[in-house]
Amino acid sequence: MRSLTASILFATAVSASSSVGSSACTTLSSSLSTTANVYHPNSTEYTLAIEHWLLSSTESPQCVVEPRSSADIAQILQIVNATQTPFAVKGGGHSSNVGFSSTTGVHISLAQFNYTVLDVQAETVAIGAGSKWIDVYTILDGTGFNVVGGRNPAVGVAGFTLGGGYSWKTNAHGLAIDNLVKVNIVLPNGTATTVSATQNPDLFFSLKGGFNNFGIVTEFTFHAIPQDLVHGGHLTYDFSQMSAVNAALVAFEQNNKDTRAAVVGGISSLPTANGTLGAPAPGVQIFYDGAELPDGMFADFLAIPTVSSDWTGQPITFLEWSGLDGGVSNLRGLFHAFSTLPHTTEFLQDVVDEVADFSAELTSKSAVYMSVAIEPFMAGSLSNDNATARSSAYPPIRSPVLLPSNIFFGYTDATEEETFRLAIARIQSNIVSKAAARGLILPQSSGGGIYPNYALGGADGAHVLEFYGEEHLERMRRVRREVDPTGVMRLAGGWKV
Ligand SMILES: Cc1cc2nc3c(=O)[nH]c(=O)nc-3n(C[C@H](O)[C@H](O)[C@H](O)COP(=O)(O)OP(=O)(O)OC[C@H]3O[C@@H](n4cnc5c(N)ncnc54)[C@H](O)[C@@H]3O)c2cc1C
Ligand SMILES: *[C@@H]1O[C@H](CO)[C@@H](O)[C@H](O)[C@H]1NC(C)=O
Ligand SMILES: *[C@@H]1O[C@H](CO)[C@@H](O)[C@H](O)[C@H]1NC(C)=O
Ligand SMILES: *[C@@H]1O[C@H](CO)[C@@H](O)[C@H](O)[C@H]1NC(C)=O
Ligand SMILES: *[C@@H]1O[C@H](CO)[C@@H](O)[C@H](O)[C@H]1NC(C)=O
Ligand SMILES: *[C@@H]1O[C@H](CO)[C@@H](O)[C@H](O)[C@H]1NC(C)=O
Ligand SMILES: *[C@@H]1O[C@H](CO)[C@@H](O)[C@H](O)[C@H]1NC(C)=O
């Protein structure tokens, strides 16, 4: 796989010299239509536009430009390319990787592409690429329809969808990308176009996992799915319940046959009263997509004594379940990822041991949060009848199902970035080795198969797109050479094919 690795470019944040960025900003101010806005450092609009969920993902661009139309975006791309100015386009700003949706050059804000339109006749929902899932769920609330969207309301529709999108509805309906009807995009040469399974299918395939390699997406249209009331709860447990909760997770994974039910587990170390990171403790989120809860559903989780629980057993709206926009975390942080075959209790204990070791090691640093998410999707979730639009760059393997896990290290001290970066790469590699030793790594999945929406950038990122496989990558590269022969999108950071 060496030649493949070498051919996958990882674009880190290219830094703009201040003259380059400011000359682009001057040109943008003078040549954009009177309706587009350019915002300068320290204005309220500028600060809001560049904000990320993690403080460490934010950079200070020369200016923020806020297009109102595809024509504005075409002009912006022309100007940044002519001046070779690095730029960024941000969805909800939830990437942990610096430079993926931040820049020191020109920051393109899609705040004006913030709308959700349900078409009941066509059973579709058109969503502007500047929306967060909370915006979508707020508008769809009470309509009786929903889409396969994010579990966390503050996440952006754009990044989530362009990377795949694991949802509460994935067991029944596949990934977010499996439910895309069409995408409106401004190509690197400024042409605005609509892409679907019948219009430019190669580009449609490539966008489903291809992030910002092919242009700037302005709108996603999803299949609308009927939405009834739901059941859900967040349960946390004392660390002494770890093996009981892990046994319940594995039992649910093996025994649940109801595609409306979903669970996400978490193994998390949080600060104790004296400020040190505590022992890893278990938590689960339990979700049932229906007004009628089948008897005994989630009984194992509910039988274990909790430290906290908001489960009532009563039906609530999907918007109530989704909760409020968490806004910004006010932490610095890093994500990393791995994917395994269905979990075993022995492997979950391996994860607990790793989190315990790393929290003990990093407690003397500024660590304030450490967690590994366990996401037990059902065997057929990515290959069932509802995952109809299966032709997508991500994931290359839909059966057997590979279960994605997110590793999150949160910290506060900006000078410790390198310490935490090395540590999260090390815990990921330890966990993958232990999973491999237990036979939980699919040999052809390239180190486990890393979900790009959870993955650490930098030098460690080289393996991320490798998981897509040579065939998928070649198709994506062909499309990239066709739509972006002069490399306009290389001025933006992110996973690059
Ligand atoms: C708290 C939290 C919860 C999460 N929960 C889930 C979950 O349940 N399921 C899941 O699958 N993932 C989840 N994620 C991961 C999430 O999907 C990724 O972080 C995703 O990239 C976030 O999208 P965004 O738009 O907010 O990110 P951004 O950082 O804004 O963007 C991510 C990437 O997309 C590109 N991009 C953004 N907009 C456009 C556009 N219009 N055109 C072209 N490219 C664009 C950016 O350039 C960047 O490279 C979660 C993350 C966090 C922090
Ligand atoms: C923005 O504000 C910060 C701190 O308040 C200040 O250091 C910086 O010089 C300001 N930048 C501009 C361009 O005004
Ligand atoms: C999008 O619209 C919602 C209201 O519909 C608003 O709360 C939110 O702040 C808007 N987001 C942006 C980026 O303007
Ligand atoms: C597909 O979705 C429908 C509802 O939209 C649901 O009733 C059905 O169970 C789903 N199919 C599978 C295989 O999960
Ligand atoms: C981008 O700029 C380069 C260098 O000036 C130029 O050769 C190329 O044609 C431009 N690309 C587009 C799509 O305009
Ligand atoms: C801090 O508290 C935790 C448990 O609350 C305890 O295990 C640990 O020993 C304490 N550390 C110090 C330095 O007091
Ligand atoms: C822009 O690129 C697309 C895709 O390669 C192409 O079909 C279109 O003709 C180009 N438009 C212009 C104006 O060159």
Side-chain angles (χ1 to χ4, degrees):
M1 290 295 235
R2 184 174 300 128
S3 65
L4 184 58
T5 311
S7 66
I8 297 165
L9 287 182
F10 170 75
T12 46
V14 198
S15 272
S17 76
S18 56
S19 64
V20 168
S22 65
S23 101
C25 289
T26 308
T27 312
L28 285 168
S29 297
S30 61
S31 43
L32 276 171
S33 64
T34 51
T35 56
N37 297 308
V38 177
Y39 299 118
H40 298 286
N42 291 355
S43 65
T44 311
E45 294 88 347
Y46 171 99
T47 305
L48 204 67
I50 66 173
E51 178 179 275
H52 283 72
W53 188 69
L54 292 165
L55 298 174
S56 43
S57 306
T58 300
E59 295 183 283
S60 299
Q62 299 291 328
C63 63
V64 167
V65 58
E66 193 182 86
R68 287 188 183 252
S69 63
S70 293
D72 289 343
I73 294 176
Q75 222 173 334
I76 294 165
L77 286 175
Q78 202 272 325
I79 291 166
V80 293
N81 181 57
T83 52
Q84 289 291 296
T85 305
F87 71 94
V89 56
K90 192 189 90 172
H94 275 56
S95 174
S96 73
N97 295 318
V98 178
F100 276 43
S101 51
S102 64
T103 180
T104 56
V106 168
H107 183 100
I108 304 174
S109 163
L110 296 182
Q112 298 298 329
F113 294 77
N114 181 12
Y115 55 83
T116 296
V117 180
L118 167 67
D119 182 335
V120 175
Q121 233 76 65
E123 295 192 13
T124 58
V125 181
I127 305 175
S131 311
K132 291 182 175 189
W133 289 110
I134 185 68
D135 303 322
V136 176
Y137 299 150
T138 302
I139 289 169
L140 294 180
D141 185 43
T143 65
F145 287 98
N146 203 352
V147 290
V148 176
R151 290 175 291 207
N152 183 300
V155 168
V157 172
F160 176 91
T161 304
L162 292 169
Y166 291 89
S167 166
W168 291 119
K169 295 174 180 293
T170 290
N171 280 337
H173 299 279
L175 298 172
I177 45 176
D178 298 332
N179 294 274
L180 270 180
V181 177
K182 61 178 182 169
V183 171
N184 292 348
I185 186 170
V186 179
L187 298 175
N189 68 4
T191 300
T193 189
T194 298
V195 183
S196 69
T198 52
Q199 282 175 275
N200 207 339
D202 284 338
L203 179 53
F204 195 47
F205 167 92
S206 299
L207 282 169
K208 293 189 264 179
F211 293 98
N212 63 12
N213 280 280
F214 309 103
I216 296 184
V217 173
T218 55
E219 183 180 293
F220 298 91
T221 301
F222 289 92
H223 284 296
I225 293 168
Q227 182 68 63
D228 202 343
L229 294 176
V230 304
H231 288 76
H234 306 75
L235 283 61
T236 65
Y237 305 89
D238 187 70
F239 68 90
S240 60
Q241 302 292 350
M242 186 64 84
S243 45
V245 175
N246 286 346
L249 272 170
V250 170
F252 178 84
E253 220 172 294
Q254 292 176 350
N255 303 328
N256 174 56
K257 300 279 180 282
D258 189 334
T259 60
R260 291 173 174 270
V263 167
V264 174
I267 293 167
S268 314
S269 283
L270 303 172
T272 59
N274 62 25
T276 62
L277 268 191
V284 291
Q285 295 178 69
I286 53 182
F287 173 75
Y288 192 78
D289 201 357
E292 299 288 335
L293 189 73
D295 273 353
M297 181 57 74
F298 308 127
D300 290 355
F301 298 108
L302 295 167
I304 303 169
T306 57
V307 171
S308 72
S309 168
D310 59 4
W311 171 263
T312 62
Q314 296 305 309
I316 52 177
T317 66
F318 188 87
L319 181 63
E320 284 167 332
W321 163 243
S322 176
L324 300 173
D325 181 348
V328 293
S329 68
N330 281 318
L331 293 180
R332 309 185 75 81
L334 292 166
F335 296 154
H336 209 346
F338 60 91
S339 297
T340 65
L341 292 165
H343 307 110
T344 61
T345 51
E346 293 79 8
F347 172 64
L348 294 184
Q349 186 58 45
D350 289 339
V351 174
V352 173
D353 293 344
E354 288 296 331
V355 175
D357 285 355
F358 277 81
S359 53
E361 176 185 325
L362 294 168
T363 196
S364 61
K365 305 287 177 190
S366 67
V368 287
Y369 196 97
M370 197 173 278
S371 70
V372 175
I374 304 299
E375 308 189 12
F377 294 103
M378 290 166 70
S381 54
L382 305 190
S383 51
N384 69 32
D385 291 345
N386 283 337
T388 45
R390 248 167 271 165
S391 178
S392 57
Y394 177 88
I397 300 164
R398 283 176 176 264
S399 183
V401 67
L402 293 177
L403 305 176
S405 268
N406 170 273
I407 310 172
F408 174 43
F409 281 8
Y411 62 97
T412 55
D413 185 342
T415 67
E416 292 176 352
E417 148 95 28
E418 192 56 18
T419 303
F420 283 95
R421 166 173 290 281
L422 292 170
I424 203 168
R426 200 150 38 85
I427 193 175
Q428 191 267 0
S429 143
N430 291 357
I431 292 173
V432 170
S433 299
K434 288 183 171 178
R438 297 201 185 275
L440 300 183
I441 297 292
L442 201 67
Q444 65 270 39
S445 73
S446 187
I450 297 176
Y451 177 38
N453 258 334
Y454 289 167
L456 182 69
D460 305 287
H463 294 290
V464 171
L465 293 187
E466 203 174 284
F467 171 52
Y468 287 35
E470 193 50 41
E471 189 191 329
H472 283 200
L473 280 175
E474 201 35 63
R475 193 167 171 194
M476 295 171 88
R477 290 194 202 105
R478 211 164 55 232
V479 170
R480 199 249 305 147
R481 285 193 293 269
E482 187 188 313
V483 303
D484 195 14
T486 63
V488 176
M489 297 310 293
R490 302 231 161 208
L491 293 166
W495 305 115
K496 296 288 146 176
V497 291

